[in-house]
Amino acid sequence: MASDQIRITPWEAEAFVDYDRLLKVFGAKPLTEYEIELLRSITKDVHFMLRRRVFYSHRDFDVFLQSYIKGMKTALYTGRGPSGHTHLGHILPWIFTRWLQEKLNIDLFFQMTDDEKFWHEEGQSIELTNSYAYENVLDLIALGFDEKRTHILIDTEDIRYLYPIAVRVAKKITFSTQRSAFGFTESTNIGMIFYPSLQIAMAFLPSELYGEPTYVLIPAGIDQDPYWRIARDIAPSMGYPKPTQIHSKLLPGLGPGGKMSASKPETAIYTTDPPEVAAKKVLRAYTGGQPTAELQRKLGGNPDVCSVFKMFEMLFEEDDKKLQERYLACRTGALLCGECKAVLAERVARFLRDHQLKREKARDRIEKFLLRTKFDPPPLRSCIMKR
Amino acid sequence: MASDQIRITPWEAEAFVDYDRLLKVFGAKPLTEYEIELLRSITKDVHFMLRRRVFYSHRDFDVFLQSYIKGMKTALYTGRGPSGHTHLGHILPWIFTRWLQEKLNIDLFFQMTDDEKFWHEEGQSIELTNSYAYENVLDLIALGFDEKRTHILIDTEDIRYLYPIAVRVAKKITFSTQRSAFGFTESTNIGMIFYPSLQIAMAFLPSELYGEPTYVLIPAGIDQDPYWRIARDIAPSMGYPKPTQIHSKLLPGLGPGGKMSASKPETAIYTTDPPEVAAKKVLRAYTGGQPTAELQRKLGGNPDVCSVFKMFEMLFEEDDKKLQERYLACRTGALLCGECKAVLAERVARFLRDHQLKREKARDRIEKFLLRTKFDPPPLRSCIMKR
């Protein structure tokens, strides 16, 4: 399939990809000033990830915002496949999602797909992915999500919430649909084949828990888009509003290519990394610099292919003016990679020290964030959906 | 695949098939005097369905009985796809299972697969299959199952019991395994594809609920065998004893061929049929008789292809001597089809009158038979299985 050629599925994704081409392949719309102004009419200010198009494309984000403005029921939904500890690539969309939650003052439904990660990874144990789900919850809490408005569901333990909906979703999806959307083969296990019905069901769960059609916005990496295309196809026949999306680019790792990924831990910064270890990873990062300081002063560096500059742009420099100064200083050769990396290393270490303190304090608060402590499962027979 | 040629899958099955050939295709063993004597050493008498080889083949029935004799933990497991009301073809294995439960004094785990029937049948609603699950429970209670020892699980409502096990099962089964076992295609929905992991997980649930490896015997129609072949393949790697089976032949409908089936309601007798309606169905049944009474007296009938005789043999004549007399009277032309059908019609009507009284009284007792009222779900992390 076409999207294979640019290697974007939920399980394999480059960074520094041609995001414009991705839009065309996936059929999503680029984020424009129209949607951003609509959001600004509600939120007053606009998050730097929008200004800089870290979140850069969408499906019906405008419809979601109009529904919100009209006073319809709305909710946020995102999730995490807990295959290990959280790294900065994971928390990028969460930081934006937390901001949205605060500005819109609406609920976030968060899915921990410990079953999916168990199914996907050979040799992985379900006990381990389930443990990581709880570890990852600590990061969500540390980022400041609102405990009253954040409802975390863990697939293996909360399946009774999803199953009444997933059963109906599963009937509407054939193996051949999956094959083309996800690149499944004859040797894919039947857990993986069934799994999309759970990720899609979660998009419809808010409607069932609230008992009214709910407009759901999903802020997530563009690599998750195949799920939402199917979800949007089947939503009308089930009586739900189509879930809407806002897609982020993928944070590059600190190496020469690819998204930040657990498969290359030396180029990924984990929230559990000791700050000094993380700082060292930054100091060893791949940059857009010249081979020597002399050449760099003469020719300037290239921030557009630099993993260090991307970290500033996508996470660690909220001030547009300062980011622009850094960009120009690099381009003109005024800023050497060593100095630039030292600044980032210090910011990363500072972030981690603060985050890790909050993360430890979060251990007593996990229960308050779990969906199961706040909602009853949707009854099988009185779902609002069409049959 | 070979078994396709004789049209036996869980969703399509003839009766009057060549059961010997089926044994060869499925690789099960014929039931012999060895297993029957082993059972007799426990139960003292032997059910007519065994004597007559209505239950005619098995996998490791002897291993199950030896385990029972040695005092290992054992349990029974069977189930029902609640696509409608119960007919006599369904209760045939239940009657035998109830007898086994009484004689062995062990628990029966019973699965109502309302999800599967919803997935399998186009236009079917989950509300309806779920309602039928409860209707079918009434038949189980009316047949006299022991409420303390009978634990009924309804897939859609009790998924939290199965999912921790099913997740592990699903990882061990690929789409291509399914395709060959069940004849699935590219256009099969992903619910159907996932479903076998639930039917198989149920075979392992007793081990989890008891907290010790449990030898499970599954009395069921031979058409369910594809599930158990997969279950037996993967059980050792999960730390469970291989589930064992005893297979029944399929009760023919009252027409000229095929198992009793909801697809031909005029040739099926439902437990909810008014007794006089059921009697009329019997009087219109296809028999092995001659075209005229005169020819019948002269040439005799053929009970071997007669749906009426099969009803006596498999359900309504427990007395071997009387059955033999009926067989000979037919063969010699002494018994005409009209008389024979009248006797069966009266027995069927009598059975239904009695059953329907018990069935109505059962409505207050449903809760006591539900697994969820008696067990906690197995914890995800402390399962006894290997990882």
Side-chain angles (χ1 to χ4, degrees):
Chain A
M1 63 181 178
S3 63
D4 256 356
Q5 295 158 18
I6 44 174
R7 285 181 45 212
I8 293 273
T9 72
W11 304 283
E12 184 186 32
E14 300 173 10
F16 292 112
V17 295
D18 182 341
Y19 282 107
D20 290 335
R21 207 175 129 228
L22 207 53
L23 279 190
K24 213 174 280 176
V25 171
F26 280 6
K29 283 188 198 158
L31 198 71
T32 67
E33 283 306 312
Y34 168 67
E35 292 86 23
I36 290 180
E37 285 312 307
L38 207 52
L39 179 64
R40 195 194 303 272
S41 75
I42 304 164
T43 58
K44 306 313 166 199
D45 61 348
V46 161
H47 197 272
F48 75 88
M49 290 188 192
L50 286 173
R51 293 197 307 267
R52 295 178 195 162
R53 300 295 194 273
V54 174
F55 279 83
Y56 84 114
S57 79
H58 74 103
R59 292 181 195 274
D60 284 354
F61 184 39
D62 49 336
V63 172
F64 171 83
L65 292 171
Q66 295 285 13
S67 306
Y68 180 91
I69 290 166
K70 283 183 207 149
M72 320 282 281
K73 194 78 183 168
T74 54
L76 300 168
Y77 160 34
T78 193
R80 157 95 178 116
S83 54
H85 279 300
T86 306
H87 61 56
L88 296 181
H90 304 128
I91 69 173
L92 182 149
W94 301 352
I95 287 170
F96 177 69
T97 303
R98 196 214 60 77
W99 177 84
L100 269 181
Q101 179 185 60
E102 182 192 317
K103 294 293 176 178
L104 301 179
N105 193 27
I106 58 178
D107 285 359
L108 164 67
F109 292 83
F110 193 100
Q111 182 176 30
M112 289 288 184
T113 64
D114 55 346
D115 47 2
E116 177 219 3
K117 285 299 164 187
F118 166 68
W119 282 326
H120 180 59
E121 292 169 18
E122 207 161 326
Q124 182 64 277
S125 84
I126 190 73
E127 289 80 2
L128 198 59
T129 59
N130 183 257
S131 301
Y132 277 127
Y134 286 94
E135 283 295 314
N136 298 167
V137 167
L138 298 177
D139 293 303
L140 290 171
I141 300 176
L143 287 176
F145 282 98
D146 178 347
E147 72 183 28
K148 287 200 183 61
R149 289 211 163 278
T150 304
H151 315 303
I152 300 169
L153 177 146
I154 299 174
D155 278 357
T156 56
E157 295 175 84
D158 299 322
I159 188 67
R160 65 193 184 280
Y161 288 84
L162 290 180
Y163 202 65
I165 307 169
V167 164
R168 292 167 162 99
V169 169
K171 191 169 179 174
K172 294 180 179 285
I173 307 176
T174 65
F175 181 71
S176 67
T177 305
Q178 302 274 51
R179 181 193 283 273
S180 59
F182 301 106
F184 288 164
T185 70
E186 293 275 320
S187 59
T188 301
N189 72 58
I190 62 173
M192 285 302 291
I193 294 173
F194 179 67
Y195 170 71
S197 63
L198 297 179
Q199 184 158 334
I200 292 167
M202 186 79 181
F204 304 145
L205 182 61
S207 291
E208 294 298 331
L209 295 182
Y210 296 146
E212 60 180 297
T214 302
Y215 290 79
V216 170
L217 175 68
I218 307 170
I222 182 88
D223 54 328
Q224 298 298 305
D225 193 65
Y227 294 108
W228 317 132
R229 293 200 298 273
I230 299 175
R232 290 171 56 84
D233 277 352
I234 66 180
S237 72
M238 297 180 73
Y240 299 118
K242 288 186 179 188
T244 67
Q245 289 84 46
I246 181 164
H247 302 119
S248 72
K249 295 176 184 170
L250 306 169
L251 184 70
L254 295 173
K259 71 170 178 176
M260 190 170 282
S261 165
S263 63
K264 287 172 277 183
E266 73 286 1
T267 66
I269 290 172
Y270 288 90
T271 61
T272 50
D273 278 347
E276 63 280 11
V277 170
K280 275 188 196 144
K281 287 181 182 176
V282 172
L283 296 178
R284 282 196 298 264
Y286 171 85
T287 69
Q290 301 293 346
T292 66
E294 198 183 340
L295 275 173
Q296 175 98 351
R297 289 223 168 78
K298 191 170 154 197
L299 302 172
N302 182 2
D304 292 333
V305 299
C306 176
S307 70
V308 172
F309 184 77
K310 284 286 165 196
M311 289 277 276
F312 280 114
E313 182 188 10
M314 296 173 81
L315 274 175
F316 285 99
E317 182 53 85
E318 295 191 28
D319 185 318
D320 290 347
K321 193 161 159 279
K322 288 184 182 163
L323 185 73
Q324 180 66 2
E325 286 166 5
R326 182 172 300 280
Y327 185 88
L328 290 175
C330 173
R331 277 282 177 210
T332 58
L335 179 66
L336 295 188
C337 292
E339 304 162 51
C340 190
K341 288 197 280 194
V343 175
L344 181 63
E346 174 46 32
R347 291 209 195 162
V348 166
R350 196 166 60 208
F351 166 78
L352 289 180
R353 274 190 294 271
D354 177 58
H355 184 82
Q356 288 167 7
L357 280 176
K358 291 177 180 161
R359 205 175 172 281
E360 281 314 303
K361 282 189 198 150
R363 290 191 188 273
D364 298 335
R365 295 174 60 211
I366 291 176
E367 284 286 310
K368 292 180 177 167
F369 285 82
L370 298 182
L371 184 139
R372 75 180 86 112
T373 65
K374 297 181 264 189
F375 292 93
D376 287 327
L380 186 68
R381 299 187 192 197
S382 69
C383 289
I384 65 159
M385 61 186 72
K386 292 178 196 165
R387 277 147 205 183
Chain B
M1 63 180 178
S3 63
D4 257 356
Q5 294 157 18
I6 44 173
R7 284 180 47 210
I8 294 274
T9 73
W11 304 283
E12 184 187 32
E14 300 172 10
F16 293 112
V17 294
D18 182 341
Y19 282 107
D20 290 336
R21 209 177 125 226
L22 208 52
L23 280 191
K24 213 173 281 176
V25 171
F26 281 6
K29 283 189 197 156
L31 199 70
T32 67
E33 284 306 311
Y34 168 68
E35 292 87 22
I36 290 180
E37 285 312 306
L38 207 52
L39 179 63
R40 196 194 302 274
S41 75
I42 304 164
T43 58
K44 306 312 167 198
D45 61 348
V46 160
H47 197 272
F48 75 88
M49 290 187 192
L50 286 173
R51 294 198 306 268
R52 295 178 195 162
R53 301 294 194 275
V54 174
F55 279 83
Y56 85 114
S57 79
H58 74 103
R59 292 180 195 274
D60 285 354
F61 184 38
D62 49 336
V63 172
F64 172 82
L65 292 171
Q66 295 285 13
S67 305
Y68 180 91
I69 290 166
K70 284 184 208 148
M72 320 282 281
K73 194 78 184 169
T74 54
L76 300 168
Y77 160 34
T78 192
R80 157 95 179 116
S83 53
H85 279 300
T86 306
H87 61 56
L88 296 181
H90 304 128
I91 69 173
L92 183 148
W94 301 352
I95 287 170
F96 177 69
T97 303
R98 196 214 60 77
W99 177 84
L100 269 181
Q101 180 185 59
E102 182 192 318
K103 294 293 176 178
L104 301 179
N105 194 27
I106 58 178
D107 286 359
L108 165 67
F109 292 83
F110 194 100
Q111 182 176 31
M112 289 288 185
T113 64
D114 55 346
D115 47 2
E116 177 220 3
K117 286 299 164 185
F118 166 69
W119 282 325
H120 180 59
E121 293 169 17
E122 206 161 326
Q124 182 63 277
S125 83
I126 191 73
E127 288 81 2
L128 198 59
T129 59
N130 183 257
S131 301
Y132 276 127
Y134 286 94
E135 283 295 314
N136 298 167
V137 167
L138 298 177
D139 293 302
L140 290 171
I141 300 175
L143 287 176
F145 281 98
D146 179 348
E147 72 184 29
K148 286 200 184 61
R149 289 209 163 280
T150 304
H151 315 303
I152 300 169
L153 177 146
I154 299 174
D155 278 357
T156 56
E157 295 175 84
D158 300 321
I159 188 67
R160 65 193 184 280
Y161 288 84
L162 290 180
Y163 202 66
I165 307 169
V167 164
R168 292 166 162 100
V169 169
K171 191 169 180 174
K172 293 178 179 286
I173 307 176
T174 64
F175 181 70
S176 67
T177 305
Q178 302 274 50
R179 182 193 282 274
S180 59
F182 301 106
F184 288 164
T185 70
E186 293 274 319
S187 59
T188 301
N189 72 57
I190 62 173
M192 285 302 290
I193 294 173
F194 179 66
Y195 170 71
S197 63
L198 297 179
Q199 184 157 333
I200 292 167
M202 186 78 180
F204 304 144
L205 182 61
S207 291
E208 294 298 330
L209 295 182
Y210 297 146
E212 59 179 299
T214 303
Y215 289 79
V216 170
L217 174 68
I218 307 170
I222 182 87
D223 54 328
Q224 298 298 306
D225 194 65
Y227 293 108
W228 317 132
R229 293 200 298 273
I230 299 174
R232 290 170 56 84
D233 277 352
I234 66 180
S237 72
M238 297 180 72
Y240 300 117
K242 289 186 178 188
T244 67
Q245 290 84 46
I246 180 164
H247 302 119
S248 72
K249 295 175 184 170
L250 306 169
L251 184 70
L254 295 172
K259 72 170 178 177
M260 189 169 283
S261 164
S263 62
K264 287 172 277 183
E266 73 286 1
T267 65
I269 290 172
Y270 287 89
T271 61
T272 51
D273 278 347
E276 62 280 11
V277 170
K280 275 188 195 144
K281 287 181 182 175
V282 172
L283 296 177
R284 282 196 298 264
Y286 172 85
T287 69
Q290 301 293 347
T292 66
E294 199 184 339
L295 275 173
Q296 175 98 350
R297 288 224 168 77
K298 192 171 154 196
L299 302 172
N302 182 1
D304 292 333
V305 299
C306 176
S307 70
V308 172
F309 184 78
K310 284 286 165 196
M311 289 277 276
F312 280 114
E313 182 189 10
M314 296 173 81
L315 274 175
F316 285 99
E317 183 53 85
E318 295 191 27
D319 185 317
D320 290 347
K321 193 159 159 281
K322 288 184 182 164
L323 185 73
Q324 180 66 2
E325 285 167 6
R326 182 172 300 279
Y327 186 88
L328 290 175
C330 173
R331 276 283 178 209
T332 58
L335 179 65
L336 295 187
C337 291
E339 303 163 52
C340 190
K341 288 198 280 195
V343 175
L344 181 63
E346 173 47 32
R347 290 209 195 162
V348 166
R350 197 167 59 208
F351 166 78
L352 289 180
R353 275 190 295 270
D354 177 58
H355 184 82
Q356 287 167 8
L357 280 176
K358 291 176 180 161
R359 206 175 172 280
E360 281 314 302
K361 282 189 198 150
R363 290 191 188 273
D364 298 335
R365 296 174 59 212
I366 291 176
E367 283 287 310
K368 292 180 177 165
F369 285 82
L370 298 182
L371 185 139
R372 74 180 87 111
T373 65
K374 297 180 265 189
F375 292 92
D376 287 328
L380 185 69
R381 299 187 192 197
S382 69
C383 289
I384 65 159
M385 62 186 71
K386 292 177 197 166
R387 276 147 206 184

